[in-house]
Amino acid sequence: MRRIPKQKRSKQRVAAILDAAEALFAVEGYEQTTTNAIAARADVPIASLYQYFENKEGVAQALIDRYVARMVDLHEQTFAVDVTALPLDTLLDQMIDPFVRFHLESPAFGHLMLGADLSNELAEATARMDEAVIAQINGLITAQRPDIAPERALHMARLAKAVVKALFALVEQHPDQAEVLVAETKRMFRAYLES
Amino acid sequence: MRRIPKQKRSKQRVAAILDAAEALFAVEGYEQTTTNAIAARADVPIASLYQYFENKEGVAQALIDRYVARMVDLHEQTFAVDVTALPLDTLLDQMIDPFVRFHLESPAFGHLMLGADLSNELAEATARMDEAVIAQINGLITAQRPDIAPERALHMARLAKAVVKALFALVEQHPDQAEVLVAETKRMFRAYLES
Amino acid sequence: MRRIPKQKRSKQRVAAILDAAEALFAVEGYEQTTTNAIAARADVPIASLYQYFENKEGVAQALIDRYVARMVDLHEQTFAVDVTALPLDTLLDQMIDPFVRFHLESPAFGHLMLGADLSNELAEATARMDEAVIAQINGLITAQRPDIAPERALHMARLAKAVVKALFALVEQHPDQAEVLVAETKRMFRAYLES
Amino acid sequence: MRRIPKQKRSKQRVAAILDAAEALFAVEGYEQTTTNAIAARADVPIASLYQYFENKEGVAQALIDRYVARMVDLHEQTFAVDVTALPLDTLLDQMIDPFVRFHLESPAFGHLMLGADLSNELAEATARMDEAVIAQINGLITAQRPDIAPERALHMARLAKAVVKALFALVEQHPDQAEVLVAETKRMFRAYLES
DNA sequence: CATGAATGAGGCTTCATTCAT
DNA sequence: CATGAATGAAGCCTCATTCAT
């Protein structure tokens, strides 16, 4: 971000811009959304947008930052207790439910994390986050099933993350069947981990 | 298509355009790819591209048609034998392997089928294909596990399809670990279906 | 015209092209009509069109020629008798009616003669034709009213021709009221010439 | 219009664009005039033109609006006095002279109002204006000649309007003989109305 | 000769971004 | 600082016309 908003009014403006961007990215996609459209929807002159953001990607970046912060919160809450001690059922609930909820509440998340053709820098940041998540899942798997070889556990973690992503997409497509689909995914994971 | 190529020369050109489009859609995505870039890569004047294709979406459409034709072939081969009689392991091999191979050989397939914001008509075609695939998976699940309620089987099929899609993305991202990831996915499905 | 059609089939083709052009010029206008559209409507390959006509204007030219030929016929018929001897009423009938009829039967005539931005050469041809018509009208006025100064008669002739053109446009706009409007115009001319 | 100019600078630009468009529409016609040519003639980047106008038709529309405003002024001035009380000679002077002057000062007026193939919306606006003018003429005729049947008066009004239009075209073609031609037209109308 | 194929030039329009008041 | 205005670069697409089989 180009200039950090200090006064209350500026903060509101920046928030308005991000909200507008979120809504537009969600329904139109990143490439299809124009900076002018964002500014118009936020009811802010385009020049003001560029006072706070370097460029279009900067807006996406800030939006991602907002998402990441919430994600970090979620992680901290999730791992506040000793998850390794939990029974598998409860563990799966705790690992999956909050993230599904988060996904449903963050309309542009999917588009930005998956669809958008962002710059290298951003892509790398995303990749780092991905790896962190995978490491965490990996730890959980190892804790649950110490008998599994570390290498294999890593592949399992990768697959698990990919499946959860797929679940997100599925839930977005059929929001009314969210619960059943989530339940089914948990069953699948459970069978997988107990096999 | 605007004009059907009759002479050999023009057939080659159309193929060259489609190949160029495939390569570009694969690395840049649909929206980011310009018709000029396609024409340039195919070493064809832009006006020639428009002799054969209505517009950019027409090119994508033709590419999809090419994919769909190959897909149909695959399906027919896969279901030439009575798959319901196969043991689960073999069944999973036969259902997943050819499609993974197909996916690896069709660079733009994922982008076009998932990412692109194509027109309604195209989106509907894709949706129809999706439903057909899900129905087929549904049939297999029911054959393997007649005890599962039809409703649940449908959800399982949906999930399975989503997971395979996720697997494709994963394999694309880590092509060197394709085999292990595929194997892991099969294990997961196996555990799931036997649970 | 580039090549004069000698065989029957070629003649039919040329006629088909001209018919197509006439229809399209009439409803779309000259500029808006594309050579490809003409060829398509005539069910003739575009390259064939260019075997018979130099370019788009060449088609218009040929169409105009066809019109001019019919016009000349009309003129000859009209002036076959000694019109100067006719009573004014009959004269007006004979001067106006056939041309209104001609106009109604020649859909593209108005567009080509008035609207189209044709080349100098063509415009000059049109202008020459105009002058010939004006001279003829001039003659009639002088015959009817020898007392009018030649200079003024020329202006009257010019005006008369313009009014008839306006009448054409009017009739095209309200074809159902053609007769009344024509009658009204004749009345006006009559009053004018008798004043 | 896409954006309403507020600062002086932008108002001048918009005026420059309209002036350029007027000049080009007048000599080339609407279809033949390109937005690039307008922008170039106004010495304005093409993107700036599109800041203020939706598209080419938007430019024409704005130009027409400018004309219509002047026309309305003219009408109001013309009908400020009780025209029905005037002697026919004076009436004709007042009805025709200002409009001929207006026409001579508005180079693109004829092209836009008559020749251009504008969209339905615009065409309807033109048609409505036409009808208003005809109604007004109709009223004058009825005032002058209460003995004429209302139906016939309407036809006379239509014809009169068409003739005036024809006069405009004529005057544009022979600007040096404008006065004589106008005088002749008045004579014709006078004879017509007194017959 | 007939015609399927080819194309340079150019038209309309948008967009991310910067300038200047 | 806020913002109305400005714009280079580029994208999509068409068309009159010619080439080459």
Side-chain angles (χ1 to χ4, degrees):
Chain A
M1 262 179 39
R2 198 167 260 185
R3 195 147 47 75
I4 299 126
K6 287 181 182 164
Q7 301 193 358
K8 196 178 166 193
R9 201 161 60 109
S10 327
K11 275 188 190 167
Q12 280 179 346
R13 285 199 134 187
V14 168
I17 292 169
L18 288 183
D19 290 344
E22 180 170 40
L24 291 171
F25 287 162
V27 303
E28 310 281 354
Y30 174 75
E31 324 285 5
Q32 247 49 29
T33 300
T34 73
T35 51
N36 282 292
I38 296 172
R41 180 166 183 140
D43 206 21
V44 151
I46 178 68
S48 292
L49 187 154
Y50 276 91
Q51 291 219 326
Y52 295 107
F53 302 98
E54 189 83 34
N55 50 30
K56 182 165 133 177
E57 193 172 314
V59 179
Q61 172 70 277
L63 200 52
I64 290 178
D65 287 352
R66 213 163 74 164
Y67 284 144
V68 166
R70 289 187 206 161
M71 274 288 236
V72 168
D73 273 6
L74 259 191
H75 260 272
E76 282 174 1
Q77 281 174 36
T78 307
F79 291 95
V81 297
D82 179 10
V83 288
T84 56
L86 296 174
L88 186 51
D89 272 347
T90 321
L91 177 63
L92 285 172
D93 286 350
Q94 297 222 355
M95 295 305 299
I96 292 178
D97 291 349
F99 290 94
V100 169
R101 230 176 294 128
F102 170 75
H103 198 86
L104 285 174
E105 288 161 2
S106 309
F109 188 76
H111 263 292
L112 286 180
M113 283 320 202
L114 218 65
D117 225 32
L118 300 172
S119 80
N120 269 0
E121 204 182 331
L122 240 132
E124 278 167 27
T126 308
R128 264 201 306 283
M129 206 173 97
D130 269 22
E131 285 311 315
V133 171
I134 288 169
Q136 210 119 33
I137 301 179
N138 195 1
L140 292 175
I141 294 174
T142 312
Q144 281 279 326
R145 293 283 306 267
D147 56 309
I148 292 177
E151 270 200 0
R152 211 197 132 198
L154 182 62
H155 292 135
M156 289 177 76
R158 260 199 235 294
L159 180 60
K161 196 184 148 293
V163 168
V164 172
K165 225 181 216 166
L167 175 64
F168 291 161
L170 207 53
V171 160
E172 210 166 321
Q173 222 184 321
H174 306 278
D176 50 317
Q177 295 168 24
E179 269 183 61
V180 204
L181 291 166
V182 168
E184 215 54 61
T185 306
K186 286 178 191 166
R187 262 187 207 141
M188 182 170 69
F189 276 146
R190 196 177 172 187
Y192 186 33
L193 281 170
E194 287 181 341
S195 73
Chain B
M1 265 188 28
R2 204 166 255 188
R3 206 172 64 198
I4 297 123
K6 287 180 182 166
Q7 300 184 1
K8 194 181 168 192
R9 195 173 32 139
S10 49
K11 275 187 189 163
Q12 282 177 345
R13 289 195 124 201
V14 168
I17 292 169
L18 287 182
D19 292 343
E22 179 168 43
L24 289 170
F25 286 160
V27 303
E28 309 281 352
Y30 175 74
E31 321 284 5
Q32 242 43 26
T33 299
T34 73
T35 50
N36 282 298
I38 296 172
R41 180 164 182 141
D43 204 24
V44 151
I46 181 67
S48 290
L49 187 156
Y50 279 94
Q51 289 271 339
Y52 294 102
F53 301 98
E54 192 86 34
N55 50 31
K56 185 161 82 157
E57 192 172 317
V59 179
Q61 172 69 275
L63 203 50
I64 289 178
D65 287 351
R66 217 163 70 163
Y67 284 145
V68 166
R70 291 188 206 161
M71 272 287 236
V72 168
D73 273 5
L74 259 191
H75 260 271
E76 282 173 2
Q77 281 174 33
T78 306
F79 290 93
V81 297
D82 178 10
V83 286
T84 57
L86 296 174
L88 186 51
D89 271 347
T90 320
L91 176 63
L92 285 172
D93 286 350
Q94 298 221 354
M95 294 306 299
I96 293 178
D97 292 348
F99 290 95
V100 170
R101 230 176 295 127
F102 171 74
H103 198 86
L104 285 174
E105 285 162 4
S106 310
F109 187 76
H111 263 290
L112 286 180
M113 281 319 202
L114 215 61
D117 240 20
L118 300 172
S119 83
N120 269 3
E121 203 182 333
L122 240 127
E124 277 167 31
T126 309
R128 264 200 309 282
M129 207 172 97
D130 269 23
E131 285 311 314
V133 171
I134 287 170
Q136 210 119 36
I137 301 180
N138 195 1
L140 292 176
I141 293 175
T142 311
Q144 282 281 325
R145 295 282 309 266
D147 56 309
I148 292 177
E151 271 200 1
R152 209 196 134 200
L154 182 63
H155 292 133
M156 289 178 77
R158 262 199 234 294
L159 181 61
K161 192 181 151 295
V163 168
V164 171
K165 229 180 212 166
L167 174 64
F168 291 161
L170 208 54
V171 160
E172 211 167 317
Q173 222 182 321
H174 306 277
D176 49 318
Q177 295 167 26
E179 269 184 62
V180 203
L181 291 166
V182 169
E184 214 56 60
T185 305
K186 288 179 191 166
R187 260 185 210 142
M188 184 169 68
F189 276 144
R190 194 179 175 184
Y192 186 34
L193 281 170
E194 288 181 340
S195 74
Chain C
M1 261 180 40
R2 200 166 258 183
R3 196 146 46 77
I4 299 126
K6 287 181 182 165
Q7 301 192 359
K8 196 180 169 191
R9 199 161 59 109
S10 328
K11 275 189 189 166
Q12 280 181 344
R13 284 197 133 189
V14 167
I17 292 169
L18 288 182
D19 291 344
E22 179 169 42
L24 290 170
F25 287 162
V27 302
E28 310 281 352
Y30 174 75
E31 325 283 5
Q32 247 49 28
T33 300
T34 72
T35 50
N36 283 290
I38 296 172
R41 180 164 184 142
D43 205 23
V44 152
I46 179 67
S48 292
L49 187 155
Y50 278 91
Q51 291 220 326
Y52 295 108
F53 302 98
E54 189 84 33
N55 50 29
K56 182 163 129 174
E57 194 172 314
V59 179
Q61 172 69 276
L63 199 52
I64 290 178
D65 287 351
R66 212 161 75 164
Y67 284 144
V68 167
R70 292 188 205 159
M71 273 287 237
V72 168
D73 273 5
L74 260 190
H75 261 272
E76 282 174 1
Q77 280 173 34
T78 307
F79 291 96
V81 297
D82 178 11
V83 288
T84 57
L86 295 173
L88 186 49
D89 273 347
T90 322
L91 177 62
L92 284 172
D93 287 350
Q94 298 222 353
M95 295 305 298
I96 292 178
D97 292 348
F99 290 94
V100 170
R101 230 176 295 127
F102 170 75
H103 199 87
L104 285 174
E105 288 161 2
S106 312
F109 188 75
H111 263 290
L112 286 180
M113 282 322 201
L114 217 64
D117 225 30
L118 301 171
S119 81
N120 270 1
E121 202 182 332
L122 239 131
E124 277 166 28
T126 310
R128 263 200 309 281
M129 205 171 98
D130 269 21
E131 285 311 315
V133 171
I134 288 169
Q136 209 120 33
I137 301 178
N138 195 0
L140 291 174
I141 294 173
T142 312
Q144 281 282 326
R145 294 283 309 267
D147 55 310
I148 292 177
E151 271 201 1
R152 210 197 132 197
L154 182 61
H155 293 135
M156 290 177 75
R158 261 198 235 294
L159 181 60
K161 194 184 150 291
V163 169
V164 172
K165 226 181 216 167
L167 174 64
F168 291 160
L170 207 53
V171 160
E172 210 165 322
Q173 223 182 320
H174 305 276
D176 50 316
Q177 294 168 25
E179 270 184 61
V180 202
L181 291 167
V182 169
E184 215 54 61
T185 305
K186 288 179 190 164
R187 261 187 208 140
M188 183 170 68
F189 276 144
R190 193 175 177 189
Y192 185 34
L193 282 170
E194 287 181 341
S195 73
Chain D
M1 263 187 29
R2 203 166 254 189
R3 206 172 66 199
I4 297 122
K6 287 179 184 167
Q7 301 185 0
K8 195 182 167 191
R9 197 173 28 138
S10 49
K11 276 186 190 163
Q12 282 177 346
R13 290 194 125 202
V14 167
I17 292 169
L18 287 182
D19 291 344
E22 181 169 41
L24 289 170
F25 287 159
V27 304
E28 309 281 352
Y30 174 75
E31 321 284 5
Q32 242 44 26
T33 299
T34 73
T35 50
N36 283 299
I38 297 172
R41 181 164 183 142
D43 204 23
V44 150
I46 181 68
S48 290
L49 187 155
Y50 279 93
Q51 289 272 339
Y52 294 102
F53 303 98
E54 192 87 34
N55 49 34
K56 185 162 82 157
E57 191 172 318
V59 179
Q61 172 70 274
L63 202 51
I64 289 177
D65 287 351
R66 215 163 73 165
Y67 285 144
V68 166
R70 290 188 207 160
M71 271 288 237
V72 168
D73 273 6
L74 259 190
H75 260 271
E76 282 173 3
Q77 281 175 34
T78 307
F79 290 93
V81 297
D82 178 12
V83 287
T84 57
L86 297 173
L88 186 50
D89 271 347
T90 320
L91 177 63
L92 284 173
D93 286 349
Q94 297 222 353
M95 294 306 298
I96 293 178
D97 292 348
F99 290 95
V100 170
R101 232 176 292 128
F102 171 75
H103 199 87
L104 285 175
E105 286 162 3
S106 309
F109 188 76
H111 264 290
L112 285 180
M113 282 321 200
L114 215 62
D117 238 21
L118 300 173
S119 82
N120 269 1
E121 204 182 332
L122 240 128
E124 277 167 28
T126 309
R128 264 200 308 283
M129 208 172 95
D130 269 22
E131 285 311 314
V133 171
I134 288 170
Q136 209 118 35
I137 301 178
N138 194 1
L140 292 176
I141 293 174
T142 312
Q144 282 280 327
R145 295 284 307 268
D147 56 309
I148 292 177
E151 270 200 3
R152 208 197 135 199
L154 182 62
H155 292 134
M156 289 177 78
R158 261 198 235 295
L159 180 61
K161 195 183 148 292
V163 169
V164 173
K165 229 178 214 168
L167 174 64
F168 291 159
L170 208 52
V171 162
E172 211 166 318
Q173 223 183 321
H174 306 277
D176 50 316
Q177 294 169 27
E179 269 184 62
V180 205
L181 290 166
V182 169
E184 214 55 60
T185 305
K186 288 178 190 167
R187 259 186 212 142
M188 182 170 68
F189 277 145
R190 191 172 179 191
Y192 186 32
L193 280 169
E194 288 181 341
S195 74

